[in-house]
Coordinates of all heavy atoms in Angstrom, one line a residue:
I70 N 88.2 -81.8 -6.4 CA 87.4 -81.5 -5.2 C 88.3 -81.5 -4.0 O 89.2 -82.4 -3.8 CB 86.2 -82.4 -5.1 CG1 85.3 -81.9 -4.0 CG2 86.6 -83.8 -4.9 CD1 84.0 -82.6 -3.9
S71 N 88.1 -80.6 -3.1 CA 88.8 -80.6 -1.8 C 88.0 -80.0 -0.7 O 86.9 -79.5 -1.0 CB 90.1 -79.8 -2.0 OG 89.9 -78.5 -2.3
R72 N 88.5 -80.2 0.5 CA 87.7 -79.5 1.6 C 88.7 -79.1 2.7 O 89.7 -79.7 2.9 CB 86.7 -80.5 2.1 CG 87.3 -81.8 2.8 CD 86.2 -82.8 3.2 NE 85.1 -82.3 4.1 CZ 84.0 -82.9 4.4 NH1 83.7 -83.9 3.6 NH2 83.2 -82.3 5.2
D73 N 88.3 -78.1 3.5 CA 89.1 -77.7 4.6 C 88.1 -77.7 5.8 O 87.3 -76.7 5.9 CB 89.6 -76.3 4.4 CG 90.5 -75.8 5.5 OD1 90.4 -76.3 6.6 OD2 91.4 -74.9 5.3
N74 N 88.1 -78.7 6.6 CA 87.2 -78.8 7.7 C 87.3 -77.7 8.7 O 86.4 -77.3 9.5 CB 87.2 -80.1 8.3 CG 86.6 -81.2 7.4 OD1 85.9 -81.0 6.5 ND2 87.0 -82.4 7.7
A75 N 88.6 -77.2 8.9 CA 88.8 -76.2 9.9 C 88.1 -74.9 9.4 O 87.7 -74.0 10.3 CB 90.3 -75.9 10.0
K76 N 87.9 -74.7 8.1 CA 87.2 -73.6 7.6 C 85.8 -73.8 7.2 O 85.1 -72.9 6.7 CB 88.0 -72.9 6.3 CG 89.4 -72.5 6.7 CD 90.1 -71.9 5.5 CE 91.5 -71.4 5.7 NZ 92.1 -70.8 4.5
N77 N 85.4 -75.0 7.4 CA 84.0 -75.4 7.0 C 83.7 -75.1 5.5 O 82.6 -74.6 5.2 CB 83.0 -74.7 7.9 CG 82.7 -75.5 9.1 OD1 83.4 -76.4 9.5 ND2 81.7 -75.0 10.0
T78 N 84.6 -75.4 4.7 CA 84.5 -75.0 3.2 C 85.0 -76.2 2.3 O 86.0 -76.8 2.7 CB 85.5 -73.7 3.0 OG1 84.9 -72.7 3.8 CG2 85.2 -73.3 1.5
A79 N 84.2 -76.3 1.3 CA 84.7 -77.3 0.3 C 84.8 -76.5 -1.0 O 84.4 -75.4 -1.1 CB 83.5 -78.3 0.1
Y80 N 85.7 -77.1 -1.9 CA 86.1 -76.4 -3.1 C 86.0 -77.3 -4.3 O 86.2 -78.6 -4.2 CB 87.6 -75.9 -3.0 CG 87.9 -75.1 -1.7 CD1 88.4 -75.7 -0.6 CD2 87.6 -73.7 -1.8 CE1 88.6 -74.9 0.5 CE2 87.9 -72.9 -0.7 CZ 88.4 -73.5 0.5 OH 88.7 -72.8 1.5
L81 N 85.8 -76.7 -5.4 CA 85.9 -77.4 -6.7 C 86.7 -76.6 -7.6 O 86.3 -75.6 -8.2 CB 84.5 -77.7 -7.3 CG 84.5 -78.6 -8.5 CD1 84.9 -80.0 -8.2 CD2 83.1 -78.5 -9.2
Q82 N 88.0 -77.1 -7.9 CA 88.8 -76.4 -8.9 C 88.5 -77.0 -10.2 O 88.6 -78.1 -10.4 CB 90.3 -76.7 -8.5 CG 91.3 -76.1 -9.4 CD 91.3 -74.5 -9.4 OE1 91.3 -73.9 -8.3 NE2 91.4 -74.0 -10.6
M83 N 88.1 -76.1 -11.1 CA 87.9 -76.5 -12.5 C 88.9 -76.0 -13.4 O 89.0 -74.7 -13.6 CB 86.4 -76.1 -12.8 CG 85.4 -76.5 -11.8 SD 83.7 -76.1 -12.3 CE 83.8 -74.3 -12.3
N84 N 89.6 -76.8 -14.1 CA 90.5 -76.4 -15.1 C 90.1 -77.0 -16.6 O 89.2 -77.8 -16.6 CB 91.9 -77.0 -14.8 CG 92.5 -76.5 -13.5 OD1 92.2 -75.4 -13.1 ND2 93.1 -77.3 -12.8
S85 N 90.7 -76.5 -17.4 CA 90.5 -76.9 -19.0 C 89.0 -76.9 -19.1 O 88.4 -77.9 -19.8 CB 91.0 -78.2 -19.1 OG 92.5 -78.2 -18.9

Side-chain angles (χ1 to χ4, degrees):
I70 188 171
S71 61
R72 67 190 294 167
D73 184 338
N74 288 341
K76 296 182 178 180
N77 277 7
T78 303
Y80 305 95
L81 185 68
Q82 177 67 43
M83 306 187 296
N84 299 328
S85 302

